[in-house]
Amino acid sequence: MARYEAGIRTEARIVDATRSLLAEGGLEAATLAAICDRADVKAGSFYNLFDSKEAVVLRVVREAIDAVDPDPEQAGTDTTQDLVDAYIRFFEEQPELARVYVLTALQVEGANGARRRFLRHHERRVERFADAMRRGDSTLSTDEATVQAELLLGALDGLAFRWSLDKAFAFADYARRAAKALS
Amino acid sequence: MARYEAGIRTEARIVDATRSLLAEGGLEAATLAAICDRADVKAGSFYNLFDSKEAVVLRVVREAIDAVDPDPEQAGTDTTQDLVDAYIRFFEEQPELARVYVLTALQVEGANGARRRFLRHHERRVERFADAMRRGDSTLSTDEATVQAELLLGALDGLAFRWSLDKAFAFADYARRAAKALS
DNA sequence: GGCGATTTTGAGCGGACGCTCAAGATGGAC
DNA sequence: GTCCATCTTGAGCGTCCGCTCAAAATCGCC
């Protein structure tokens, strides 16, 4: 189990290669061959460190999402506005990664359970939004806040999708407007 | 150019086979081999009638969308409510087809221009929604109606996506609630 | 029944992709 | 310096998939 330095550095190179490939050309560009090529590693070495290609992709996506979290400590200090801004930032800074994220969720459920993961992540996010909404409006019931959070997140997801079709779409403006109308 | 009866019937069989395969298992199930097998046709015959696999998939999706149009003649008699209901109906009756529709739009732009097609279809739909909204509220400016239509369609798309992750999600309820809040 | 156009078939091409494994190279604890 | 665990490599396996094409069969108009 004790890791060697070499292995740790190789793992980092693989993750970096995957991240840059995904950012440049999405899932289509991040083939195993491309990842290994860019990381300067043979496939066998890759599989010594990761269980599958999906594993490293999931890791990169997760890290990117965590990186824009406005309240990583979960201290309960983020406002709805913060959360919406974080959402917008993720999509604007990592459009290809966002596409990967959605794409994997739409794939048929495989052994890795990407769809289930995605759903769990969404549910946690709904809770965060609902909590922030209640903090901003103390008359809101928990149920009602959850419903509103689902609505707002639904709208944000849809607008982000719209933007991925056409980068001329004023995503951030629409997103903020949706936030105003739905909370 | 004069078609023979045999060719016309074969074409219909291929379309039917594609439709049922897509409905059962989405894009993943509708491989060329599966389509040809179910249509009882060899691949060469398929390519005598269609330019590519994508061509028949696009045709099936388009036909399904047209089939739920509340105002196929474009007479301008449909209300916002009608359009929202039609949207809900499409997703509830053809969940797999809806997934295919979204999936192809998220794919990188190929020679067939699926993404562009998708965008054009979306824009036409925004216009339909905007027109219906103005019919329901004559004080609405054209620009403002378009913005509202984009918002509402964005929300519907996002909620439909949410529902595709988890069929327990009360899609129709949320969709109607979004329509109320956003128009 | 002849004949040109259309349709069907059988066989197979070419390539992408994820992944495996035995054997050798390297690291580092003792 | 030995020795075992960890890491790396090279070669290649198996599969799936969209698509092609020459030749044979069929259609239907005259």
Side-chain angles (χ1 to χ4, degrees), chain B residues 35-49:
Chain B
I35 292 170
C36 291
D37 208 47
R38 185 166 294 195
D40 200 25
V41 151
K42 307 301 167 195
S45 211
F46 178 100
Y47 282 96
N48 181 45
L49 294 162

Side-chain angles (χ1 to χ4, degrees), chain B residues 105-181:
Chain B
L106 284 173
Q107 234 75 25
V108 286
E109 188 69 330
N112 51 54
R115 210 142 147 186
R116 216 183 307 276
R117 266 174 228 270
F118 196 102
L119 185 56
R120 267 223 314 275
H121 181 254
H122 173 82
E123 281 164 351
R124 250 178 297 139
R125 197 149 62 166
V126 167
E127 257 183 68
R128 295 275 297 270
F129 270 68
D131 285 350
M133 282 169 163
R134 291 198 72 194
R135 252 176 269 126
D137 173 6
S138 50
T139 70
L140 217 54
S141 77
T142 310
D143 280 2
E144 187 56 22
T146 304
V147 169
Q148 278 199 20
E150 285 278 15
L151 268 178
L152 176 51
L153 269 168
L156 292 177
D157 286 346
L159 292 168
F161 169 66
R162 171 72 178 80
W163 179 65
S164 81
L165 289 182
D166 168 24
K167 291 296 194 289
F169 184 71
F171 169 54
D173 290 347
Y174 277 98
R176 294 208 184 84
R177 181 150 173 167
K180 208 176 285 183

